[in-house]
């Protein structure tokens, strides 16, 4: 007996986000604002990475590993990484925000191209 193949259908949204109705000027303004936000997010990421590096150096220099019973490099590295987990999480979240903003800009670019094609008449 052969089994029938069930095809999955993709349902398209009935309502698109409001950005799809924006005109060219609004899209260009939105892209400009998004680029400014993106640059601020990138600066925040750089600062967070510098803070992580500074905190890591501080931990290695100021921690009494012998007192904590951390007698080898593997234990010391594990301790430092554990202490820095919040910094690493913060950096991961900032990277996610940056990627999300880049995705927004890509959609805006596509909508600008679509508007240009409509203006030209293609």
């Amino acid at each position: 007996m052969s089994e029938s193949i069930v095809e999955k259908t993709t349902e398209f949204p009935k309502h698109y986000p409001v950005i799809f109705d924006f005109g060219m000027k609004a899209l260009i303004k939105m892209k400009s604002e998004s680029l400014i936000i993106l640059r601020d997010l990138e600066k925040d990421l750089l600062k967070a990475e510098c803070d992580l590096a500074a905190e890591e150096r501080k931990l290695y220099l100021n921690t009494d590993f012998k007192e904590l019973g951390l007698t080898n490099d593997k234990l010391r590295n594990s301790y430092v990484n554990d202490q820095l987990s919040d910094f690493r999480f913060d950096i991961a979240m900032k990277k996610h925000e940056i990627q999300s903003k880049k995705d927004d800009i890509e959609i805006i670019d596509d909508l600008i191209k679509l508007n240009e094609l409509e203006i030209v008449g293609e």
Side-chain angles (χ1 to χ4, degrees):
M1 268 192 229
S2 66
E3 295 181 19
S4 63
I5 298 174
V6 178
E7 293 183 18
K8 295 183 179 180
T9 58
T10 304
E11 290 186 32
F12 294 100
K14 293 177 179 131
H15 301 285
Y16 292 98
V18 73
I19 188 176
F20 283 76
D21 296 326
F22 286 3
M24 189 70 94
K25 284 183 181 180
L27 289 170
I28 291 170
K29 182 180 178 191
M30 187 176 232
K31 181 177 179 179
S32 176
E33 292 169 354
S34 294
L35 286 169
I36 291 167
I37 292 169
L38 177 62
R39 296 302 169 239
D40 287 340
L41 291 171
E42 289 172 336
K43 282 191 268 183
D44 290 345
L45 174 61
L46 286 173
K47 183 181 180 328
E49 289 173 337
C50 288
D51 291 346
L52 170 66
E55 188 64 25
E56 184 175 22
R57 285 189 302 273
K58 183 177 146 187
L59 280 168
Y60 276 114
L61 292 173
N62 298 326
T63 303
D64 187 355
F65 292 111
K66 287 184 182 183
E67 182 180 303
L68 296 172
L70 306 172
T71 56
N72 63 43
D73 284 339
K74 191 173 183 179
L75 291 172
R76 292 174 183 157
N77 291 338
S78 178
Y79 172 81
V80 169
N81 285 332
D82 183 55
Q83 297 299 309
L84 299 174
S85 63
D86 289 343
F87 284 90
R88 294 187 198 287
F89 178 77
D90 186 46
I91 287 171
M93 290 303 297
K94 289 182 186 310
K95 287 180 179 179
H96 177 74
E97 288 179 72
I98 287 170
Q99 188 56 52
S100 178
K101 188 52 68 179
K102 285 180 179 180
D103 292 345
D104 291 347
I105 292 169
E106 184 177 343
I107 290 169
I108 293 169
D109 283 340
D110 290 343
L111 291 171
I112 289 172
K113 287 177 188 171
L114 179 64
N115 277 339
E116 287 173 345
L117 289 174
E118 289 175 352
I119 289 171
V120 172
E122 289 188 19

